[in-house]
Amino acid sequence: MITKKNMSPCPVGLLLQVIGNKWKVLIIRDLLTGTKRFGMLKKSVGCSQKVLTDNLRMLEEDKIVLRTVYAEIPPRVEYQLTKTGKSLKPVLDAMASWGEKYRKQLK
Protein backbone atom coordinates (compact mmCIF):
# COMPACT_ATOMS: atom_id res chain seq x y z
CA MET A 1 0.00 0.00 0.00
CA ILE A 2 1.28 3.42 -0.90
CA THR A 3 1.48 5.83 2.02
CA LYS A 4 2.85 9.33 2.38
CA LYS A 5 5.90 7.78 4.01
CA ASN A 6 6.81 5.46 1.10
CA MET A 7 5.39 7.59 -1.73
CA SER A 8 7.81 8.40 -4.51
CA PRO A 9 8.52 12.14 -4.77
CA CYS A 10 8.60 11.81 -8.57
CA PRO A 11 5.21 11.71 -10.35
CA VAL A 12 6.43 9.03 -12.78
CA GLY A 13 7.84 7.04 -9.89
CA LEU A 14 4.49 7.27 -8.09
CA LEU A 15 2.66 6.02 -11.19
CA LEU A 16 5.06 3.09 -11.37
CA GLN A 17 4.44 2.34 -7.68
CA VAL A 18 0.73 2.01 -8.50
CA ILE A 19 0.84 0.17 -11.84
CA GLY A 20 4.48 -0.91 -11.91
CA ASN A 21 4.09 -4.50 -13.08
CA LYS A 22 2.55 -6.09 -16.12
CA TRP A 23 -0.17 -7.87 -14.16
CA LYS A 24 -1.58 -4.67 -12.69
CA VAL A 25 -1.59 -3.01 -16.10
CA LEU A 26 -3.39 -5.98 -17.66
CA ILE A 27 -5.95 -6.07 -14.83
CA ILE A 28 -6.66 -2.36 -15.27
CA ARG A 29 -6.87 -2.82 -19.05
CA ASP A 30 -9.50 -5.53 -18.63
CA LEU A 31 -11.50 -3.59 -16.04
CA LEU A 32 -11.62 -0.51 -18.29
CA THR A 33 -14.30 -2.34 -20.29
CA GLY A 34 -16.45 -2.93 -17.20
CA THR A 35 -17.00 -5.01 -14.10
CA LYS A 36 -15.47 -8.50 -14.10
CA ARG A 37 -15.55 -11.55 -11.87
CA PHE A 38 -12.35 -13.21 -10.66
CA GLY A 39 -12.55 -16.13 -13.10
CA MET A 40 -12.95 -13.84 -16.09
CA LEU A 41 -9.95 -11.78 -15.01
CA LYS A 42 -7.84 -14.88 -14.40
CA LYS A 43 -8.60 -16.18 -17.87
CA SER A 44 -8.02 -12.90 -19.72
CA VAL A 45 -4.95 -11.76 -17.75
CA GLY A 46 -3.36 -15.21 -17.90
CA CYS A 47 -1.67 -15.36 -14.51
CA SER A 48 -1.95 -17.73 -11.58
CA GLN A 49 -4.68 -17.40 -8.96
CA LYS A 50 -2.16 -16.24 -6.33
CA VAL A 51 -0.64 -13.58 -8.59
CA LEU A 52 -4.09 -12.27 -9.53
CA THR A 53 -5.25 -12.24 -5.90
CA ASP A 54 -2.12 -10.43 -4.71
CA ASN A 55 -2.32 -7.79 -7.45
CA LEU A 56 -6.05 -7.22 -6.99
CA ARG A 57 -5.46 -6.71 -3.26
CA MET A 58 -2.71 -4.18 -3.94
CA LEU A 59 -4.90 -2.32 -6.44
CA GLU A 60 -7.75 -2.34 -3.94
CA GLU A 61 -5.50 -0.99 -1.16
CA ASP A 62 -4.34 1.80 -3.48
CA LYS A 63 -7.98 2.68 -4.31
CA ILE A 64 -7.69 1.72 -8.00
CA VAL A 65 -10.05 -1.28 -7.85
CA LEU A 66 -13.28 -1.77 -5.93
CA ARG A 67 -14.14 -5.30 -4.77
CA THR A 68 -17.81 -6.06 -4.19
CA VAL A 69 -18.93 -9.24 -2.42
CA TYR A 70 -22.55 -10.30 -2.86
CA ALA A 71 -24.26 -12.30 -0.11
CA GLU A 72 -25.39 -15.12 -2.36
CA ILE A 73 -24.88 -18.86 -2.41
CA PRO A 74 -22.42 -19.47 -3.91
CA PRO A 75 -20.76 -16.15 -3.06
CA ARG A 76 -20.21 -13.78 -5.97
CA VAL A 77 -17.32 -11.30 -6.04
CA GLU A 78 -16.95 -8.62 -8.68
CA TYR A 79 -14.18 -6.15 -9.42
CA GLN A 80 -14.46 -2.75 -11.02
CA LEU A 81 -12.33 0.33 -11.37
CA THR A 82 -12.83 3.25 -9.03
CA LYS A 83 -12.98 6.77 -10.42
CA THR A 84 -9.23 7.00 -9.82
CA GLY A 85 -8.74 3.70 -11.63
CA LYS A 86 -10.79 4.90 -14.60
CA SER A 87 -8.61 8.01 -14.77
CA LEU A 88 -5.74 5.72 -15.86
CA LYS A 89 -7.40 5.17 -19.26
CA PRO A 90 -5.39 7.89 -21.09
CA VAL A 91 -2.19 6.43 -19.62
CA LEU A 92 -2.99 2.93 -20.88
CA ASP A 93 -4.16 4.34 -24.23
CA ALA A 94 -0.80 6.09 -24.61
CA MET A 95 1.03 2.88 -23.68
CA ALA A 96 -0.98 0.93 -26.26
CA SER A 97 -0.28 3.53 -28.96
CA TRP A 98 3.44 3.44 -28.20
CA GLY A 99 3.41 -0.37 -28.25
CA GLU A 100 1.75 -0.44 -31.67
CA LYS A 101 4.27 2.03 -33.11
CA TYR A 102 7.17 0.10 -31.62
CA ARG A 103 5.82 -3.21 -32.93
CA LYS A 104 5.74 -1.74 -36.46
CA GLN A 105 9.36 -0.60 -36.11
CA LEU A 106 10.43 -4.15 -35.28
CA LYS A 107 8.87 -5.66 -38.41
Side-chain angles (χ1 to χ4, degrees), residues 9-24:
C10 169
V12 175
L14 179 57
L15 173 67
L16 291 175
Q17 276 183 277
V18 176
I19 65 166
N21 72 49
K22 75 176 185 176
W23 303 119
K24 289 180 182 179

Side-chain angles (χ1 to χ4, degrees), residues 7-68:
M7 185 184 303
S8 174
C10 169
V12 175
L14 179 57
L15 173 67
L16 291 175
Q17 276 183 277
V18 176
I19 65 166
N21 72 49
K22 75 176 185 176
W23 303 119
K24 289 180 182 179
V25 173
L26 294 176
I27 291 166
I28 294 166
R29 175 205 64 188
D30 286 358
L31 291 176
L32 280 169
T33 61
T35 301
K36 302 277 188 301
R37 292 177 73 171
F38 187 89
M40 289 178 73
L41 284 170
K42 186 174 178 289
K43 185 176 181 180
S44 63
V45 171
C47 62
S48 71
Q49 183 168 331
K50 180 181 178 355
V51 168
L52 182 58
T53 298
D54 291 347
N55 281 281
L56 282 167
R57 283 184 182 148
M58 286 186 275
L59 289 167
E60 188 179 4
E61 287 174 358
D62 291 331
K63 311 251 187 285
I64 303 300
V65 168
L66 176 65
R67 179 179 185 261
T68 305

Side-chain angles (χ1 to χ4, degrees), residues 66-85:
L66 176 65
R67 179 179 185 261
T68 305
V69 180
Y70 296 91
E72 300 174 352
I73 298 176
R76 178 171 51 115
V77 180
E78 293 182 340
Y79 297 89
Q80 63 188 32
L81 292 175
T82 62
K83 186 176 179 180
T84 302

